[in-house]
């Protein structure tokens, strides 16, 4: 989403590079260790052959499969950025409380139509949301579009309107199948059980509601559209040929 599928997000602060991880939009991003270990193993077998960008794309593909989602045939050959794009992060990645027009516009700008965007947000079927991103719908009054039973549960998970961002204070997005990429997400938001503002709007906006209904009714359809969305994201403006480089370590640009 930020400039290109070029692994710029993996770069750490060093030698004038300001990491994209520093952006508030990157809140919650962590566990980069597996990427480092994959890269280290590849460098031993075939030095400077497989880029960090390819590792990220293929890891997303394999993660989808491990979560019970579809297998996506992906191209390889991406190269890695030599720079970070910290100044572009907030204008490129939608925020959790952005309006539906803003979210659709951001995704449309990189080639995802409304149907694919609805499918991609189905990734909210897995994982968890920090209370920091939920409390705006709970305090000082509960968002009337939020299911009352779910709201009561969320208040127990997030008992204060000012949660500590450094503490593990969160709620799972899906209480029944939290580690499965399935269409329960869509069934939940139709019942008013989506955690984020964007989840709630997805079920009611006239540009997205019909897709939500269809995905809630047909898990195979959701998987087909999710696979299409993931493939589009994996091919956003890739660096190829002699552009960029193939990093030796994913956190740092090569030292010539």
């Amino acid at each position: 989403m930020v400039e290109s599928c070029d692994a710029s997000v993996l770069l750490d602060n060093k030698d004038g590079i300001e990491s994209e991880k520093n952006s508030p939009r990157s809140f919650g991003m962590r566990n980069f260790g597996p990427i480092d270990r994959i890269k280290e193993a590849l460098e031993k077998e075939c030095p400077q052959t497989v880029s960090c960008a390819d590792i990220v794309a293929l890891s997303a593909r394999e993660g989808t499969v491990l979560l019970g989602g579809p297998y996506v045939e992906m191209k390889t050959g991406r190269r890695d950025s030599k720079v970070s794009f910290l100044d572009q992060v907030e204008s490129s990645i939608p925020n959790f409380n952005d309006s539906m027009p803003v979210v659709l516009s951001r995704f449309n700008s990189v080639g995802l139509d409304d149907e694919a965007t609805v499918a991609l947000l189905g990734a909210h079927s897995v994982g968890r949301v920090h209370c920091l991103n939920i409390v705006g719908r709970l305090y000082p009054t509960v968002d009337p579009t939020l299911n009352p039973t779910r709201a009561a549960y969320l208040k127990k998970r997030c008992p204060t309107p000012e949660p500590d961002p450094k503490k593990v204070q969160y709620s799972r997005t899906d209480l029944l199948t939290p580690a499965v990429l399935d269409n329960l997400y869509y069934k939940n938001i139709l019942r008013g059980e989506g955690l984020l503002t964007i989840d709630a709007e997805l079920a009611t906006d006239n540009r997205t509601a019909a897709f939500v209904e269809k995905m809630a009714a047909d898990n195979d359809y959701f998987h087909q559209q999710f696979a299409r969305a993931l493939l589009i994201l994996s091919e956003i403006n890739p660096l190829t040929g002699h552009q960029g480089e193939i990093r030796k370590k994913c956190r740092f640009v090569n030292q010539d």
Side-chain angles (χ1 to χ4, degrees):
M1 290 291 290
V2 181
E3 187 68 25
S4 167
C5 186
D6 60 6
S8 62
V9 68
L10 300 180
L11 291 172
D12 282 346
N13 297 321
K14 187 180 181 182
D15 296 335
I17 287 179
E18 294 184 75
S19 176
E20 292 172 24
K21 300 171 188 175
N22 297 344
S23 171
R25 287 287 197 279
S26 299
F27 176 74
M29 290 183 64
R30 59 192 184 281
N31 296 339
F32 293 97
I35 299 292
D36 295 332
R37 291 192 290 275
I38 292 169
K39 182 60 175 173
E40 183 178 358
L42 284 165
E43 285 300 303
K44 289 179 180 178
E45 287 292 323
C46 43
Q48 288 190 271
T49 302
V50 182
S51 69
C52 300
D54 274 351
I55 292 172
V56 170
L58 296 178
S59 294
R61 190 266 302 281
E62 298 307 315
T64 297
V65 173
L66 289 171
L67 290 167
Y71 178 86
V72 183
E73 194 72 43
M74 286 187 178
K75 297 176 182 177
T76 53
R78 301 166 190 79
R79 289 171 65 85
D80 300 322
S81 167
K82 293 182 178 181
V83 296
S84 172
F85 301 100
L86 175 62
D87 61 338
Q88 296 183 33
V89 174
E90 292 207 22
S91 62
S92 299
I93 298 178
N95 199 14
F96 67 92
N97 60 359
D98 278 341
S99 67
M100 186 56 63
V102 170
V103 172
L104 292 177
S105 175
R106 294 272 173 87
F107 284 115
N108 290 168
S109 71
V110 295
L112 286 165
D113 58 26
D114 293 351
E115 184 178 30
T117 299
V118 173
L120 188 67
L121 288 171
H124 292 178
S125 170
V126 297
R128 57 195 187 182
V129 177
H130 197 283
C131 289
L132 200 67
N133 295 340
I134 301 173
V135 291
R137 300 187 70 202
L138 300 175
Y139 304 101
T141 57
V142 174
D143 183 336
T145 66
L146 187 59
N147 181 289
T149 301
R150 192 63 185 272
Y153 168 80
L154 290 174
K155 279 200 164 188
K156 291 179 180 178
R157 298 293 305 175
C158 307
T160 171
E162 297 181 359
D164 186 342
K166 295 182 179 180
K167 289 186 177 180
V168 182
Q169 297 178 306
Y170 67 88
S171 174
R172 297 202 177 278
T173 56
D174 177 347
L175 300 180
L176 296 179
T177 58
V180 180
L181 184 68
D182 58 17
N183 66 340
L184 194 57
Y185 165 74
Y186 302 100
K187 296 177 182 180
N188 286 340
I189 62 176
L190 287 172
R191 293 191 291 260
E193 296 182 4
L195 301 192
L196 303 176
T197 301
I198 189 61
D199 298 330
E201 290 191 12
L202 201 67
T204 57
D205 191 278
N206 59 14
R207 289 159 293 188
T208 57
F211 298 129
V212 170
E213 294 273 2
K214 191 172 180 180
M215 290 180 195
D218 189 341
N219 194 58
D220 288 339
Y221 165 67
F222 160 52
H223 279 180
Q224 290 166 6
Q225 295 303 316
F226 186 87
R228 182 170 73 89
L230 191 61
L231 183 61
I232 293 170
L233 278 183
S234 77
E235 296 182 356
I236 292 176
N237 194 29
L239 301 178
T240 58
H242 296 291
Q243 297 174 307
E245 65 181 9
I246 295 179
R247 293 183 209 141
K248 297 175 183 178
K249 293 185 178 182
C250 290
R251 294 174 185 264
F252 311 106
V253 298
N254 296 336
Q255 299 297 315
D256 296 329

